Amino acid sequence: MNDVKLALLGGPGAGKSAVLVRFLTRRFIGEYASSDNSLYHKRLSVDGRQLNLKVFDPCSQSSEARCIVGEPLDWADGFVVVYDISDRASFINAKNVLRQIREARGDGGKGDTEVPVCLVGNKQDLCHARQVCEVEGRCLAQETRCHFQEVSAAESYQDVAHLFTRLIRRVMERLKLRSERRRYSGSRSMAKIINNVFGKRRKSV
C-alpha cells in the first residue's frame, strides 16, 4: 500500500483547515484558529489503488513571520497552499509560501520532476468581497509551476475532493517515476560491477 504525504499551508483565516476537513469528512467546520500542528490519516482508493494519506496541517503563521517551518518542507510529497480570495494579505502570504517551496524543493537540477503543488483560492462564495481576482491566482500558479483552483469549502465538497484527488494522482506518478529511476540506476550499477568482475576474469584466463 502506498503512502502519500501532503502538507497544507496558508495564513491565518485562509480556511485551510476547513478545506482539509471538508475533504476528509465531507462536512464544513467553519473557521477556527488552532495553535497546534495536526497530522491527519486517511485510507483512500484512487484509480483503484489503495493508499495511506497523511496530511500535515501546521498552525498558521502571519505573513510577517517565516511562512513555513522546515519539517513540512522536507517531509511532504506534495503541497496544498491556500489563500482567501477576499483577503489580499493571505494571497501575498501564499506567494511567499510558494517561493519557499520552490527554493527548497525545486529538484529540477537533479533530473527529477518538481514536487507537486496546488494553489487554492478559498471562499469562492465571497465573490462580492473579492480582493484577489481569479486571473491573479492563475498567473501566480503559472509563474510557480503549480496547479490552480478556486473553491468554496463552505459550499462544495466535490470541488475540494477534485483538487485533492488530482494532487494525489500527481504525487503517485512522481513517486512511481522516482522509484523506476532508482531501480534502473541500481540495475545499471549492478550490471557494471558484474561486467567489471567477469571482464577481469576473462582477461586473466
Side-chain angles (χ1 to χ4, degrees):
M1 185 175 292
N2 297 292
D3 286 336
V4 172
K5 298 175 291 186
L6 305 180
L8 190 74
L9 306 168
K16 65 183 179 68
S17 297
V19 168
L20 176 58
V21 173
R22 181 62 129 163
F23 171 63
L24 295 176
T25 69
R26 293 177 175 256
R27 293 178 297 176
F28 176 61
I29 59 168
E31 298 297 336
Y32 69 91
S34 174
S35 58
D36 297 321
N37 296 333
S38 300
L39 182 63
Y40 296 85
H41 299 260
K42 187 177 180 66
R43 286 195 174 184
L44 296 175
S45 176
V46 176
D47 301 330
R49 299 173 63 182
Q50 300 296 317
L51 62 95
N52 289 316
L53 178 65
K54 300 177 183 179
V55 186
F56 182 51
D57 181 11
C59 59
S60 299
Q61 293 180 326
S62 67
S63 57
E64 289 80 11
R66 181 163 179 80
C67 301
I68 311 176
V69 293
E71 291 178 4
L73 269 181
D74 298 330
W75 173 83
D77 300 315
F79 297 88
V80 179
V81 180
V82 183
Y83 69 92
D84 175 358
I85 69 166
S86 64
D87 179 8
R88 177 156 291 276
S90 74
F91 181 69
I92 295 172
N93 186 79
K95 185 181 296 188
N96 292 334
V97 170
L98 290 172
R99 174 183 55 78
Q100 291 177 46
I101 292 173
R102 288 312 183 201
E103 286 177 355
R105 297 287 301 277
D107 296 333
K110 303 176 183 177
D112 195 4
T113 54
E114 289 186 317
V115 62
V117 181
C118 182
L119 175 64
V120 180
N122 188 32
K123 305 188 184 180
Q124 196 179 38
D125 51 302
L126 299 181
C127 279
H128 59 281
R130 182 187 286 273
Q131 294 184 7
V132 183
C133 67
E134 186 175 351
V135 173
E136 288 182 275
R138 292 193 181 280
C139 287
L140 176 58
Q142 187 174 13
E143 291 170 8
T144 52
R145 304 175 302 282
C146 62
H147 174 63
F148 171 75
Q149 188 171 340
E150 282 194 356
V151 302
S152 169
E155 293 186 344
S156 175
Y157 163 75
Q158 293 298 332
D159 288 345
V160 173
H162 177 264
L163 79 88
F164 273 97
T165 302
R166 178 168 178 166
L167 180 62
I168 289 169
R169 284 194 182 108
R170 291 184 60 203
V171 167
M172 292 173 70
E173 289 171 1
R174 181 174 184 264
L175 293 176
K176 180 181 178 182
L177 180 61
R178 294 181 67 184
S179 177
E180 289 173 350
R181 285 178 174 173
R182 282 196 296 267
R183 283 200 303 269
Y184 177 68
S185 177
S187 63
R188 286 189 64 188
S189 298
M190 183 59 66
K192 187 175 181 180
I193 292 171
I194 293 172
N195 287 335
N196 288 340
V197 171
F198 283 95
K200 290 177 181 179
R201 288 183 178 177
R202 283 195 295 268
K203 289 179 181 179
S204 61
V205 172

